[in-house]
Amino acid sequence: MTRDLRIREHHALAFDRGREVTIFVDGKPVRAYENEPVAVALFAAGRTVLARSLRFHRPRGAFCLAGACASCAMEVDGVPGVRTCRTYPKGGMTVVSRGGFPKVTNDFLFASDFLLRKGFNYHHLLTRPRFLNRLLVGVVRRMATEGKLPPTPAGPPPVLTHRACDVAVVGAGPAGVAAALAAAEGGRSVVLIDEEPAVGGRLRFEVEAVELPGVAGAAPGREFAANMPGLLAAAKVEVLARATAAGRYADGVLLVVREGESIALRPGALVVCAGAMDQNVPFAGNDLPRVMSARAVRRLTNVHGLCPAVATLIVGTDADALSLALRLPEIGVRVVGIVEPGTRIMGPRAMATEAQRRGVPLFLSYRIARALGRFHLTGARLEPVAGGEPITLRCDLIAVAGRNAPAYQLLDQAGCDLRLDPARGGFVAELDEDGRTNVPGVLAAGEVTGATDLGEIVRQGRAAGLAASDWIGSPSNR
Ligand code: FES
């Protein structure tokens, strides 16, 4: 156990890492802490290649650290395909990387990335005769699995409990917390479900001052997030943390899964505040490890207290990107540039001005053309959008602030009408002004609607919580 990127003394932030434990990654001991996911512990240890891609054996590493991209999947305690950014370490846990020969960090099959780049398209390979196609499909299916399920599940099977509540809220970010508090005002029983270990969502890594509707004064988002458990407890909202709303089934039953337990929850109304999924932007090499979403980098620095790089390029100019440009240098990370293909800043202008004043170069009307490095990230090539001389910058981390896509899946499963709205980032549900969908008793609020403004997100959450409470209050809906 040698490398450790954790910050021990931060000038402004404190980090609650929990108890230290040792996990075993590909047979080697790695220092981990109970409150930081396995993928973060690996990043802290300098281990960023977690798997290899099926086709060209390109290295894969964590991108979103929010459970949405699956690029951090590894085998954990014998179970393949586990999202390690959503898995918390326990002493003695075994983690195995998949897809490399002889190992993911030194993979001979990576040669296929050069040799077969143009000539291997398995979609068109051996489609005839039929028996050969069946044979090939069988082989490809076997290759596509990331390991084998153990013959018998480890430990006792999860306990299934049946419960009911008035309102279930999925997602404990700013919208979800506002919805839960509003629904609880009328004395409704409210259950708030989130995959994170703590409530607050994006506010948990927000170190900039923000304002929330109905709250006097501005404060760092982290402080608002820290106050939320007390508010929820006072309102008697039950919080199910580290729990996944795995699906909505017949009669509106919501299956909630958490360690050792499955809950068949029957809510009178469901408010979906599932947030948004971090998206990459298109450029060559954007799949390299250490190309990460800006929010993932903020999570690493502000929640888990890691110094993630020596030099970082930031792609995009929204508030997440600009906050990184200001905060990374405070922990000793050089920001080699902020790239924006448009002609104007997307986030707060004052933050961009301050970043420039501190010496961070701003490349307006430039786009990132390529991430450099075959085995690991070494830099990036930028090109002027209007054509001209490219620029090469050296960096060991690229933070991408792309347009996030609404996490619409639970709404889709509930049968809500969806439409594709590129301006809102993807598929969004058709909603009325209070967040009601076309499915009775199912509502939505927050980033899942495509909203990005924090004030709007909180307003939506409150409106949906009140509407859910009203729905329950109607005698015909009991
Ligand atoms: S799902 Fe784990 S990094 Fe995206």
Side-chain angles (χ1 to χ4, degrees), residues 146 223 330:
E146 294 175 341
E223 288 183 16
E330 293 176 355

Side-chain angles (χ1 to χ4, degrees), residues 39 61-73 83-86:
F63 173 75
C64 73
L65 291 180
C69 73
S71 68
C72 63
R83 295 171 302 165
T84 52
C85 72
R86 284 290 188 238

Side-chain angles (χ1 to χ4, degrees), residues 163 165-173 175-194 199 228-241 465:
R163 297 184 45 193
C165 66
D166 289 331
V167 179
V169 180
V170 174
V177 171
L181 291 173
E185 276 175 15
R188 309 285 176 222
S189 59
V190 182
V191 176
L192 178 60
I193 301 145
D194 201 291
V199 299
M228 284 175 173
L231 295 173
L232 291 164
K236 297 193 170 47
V237 172
E238 182 184 358
V239 178
L240 298 180

Side-chain angles (χ1 to χ4, degrees), residues 103-118:
K103 50 188 187 176
V104 291
T105 46
N106 200 2
D107 181 13
F108 293 158
L109 298 178
F110 187 45
S112 59
D113 194 24
F114 321 113
L115 301 177
L116 302 173
R117 189 163 286 185
K118 293 201 175 98

Side-chain angles (χ1 to χ4, degrees), residues 82-94:
V82 175
R83 295 171 302 165
T84 52
C85 72
R86 284 290 188 238
T87 306
Y88 290 85
K90 292 197 186 97
M93 177 181 268
T94 61

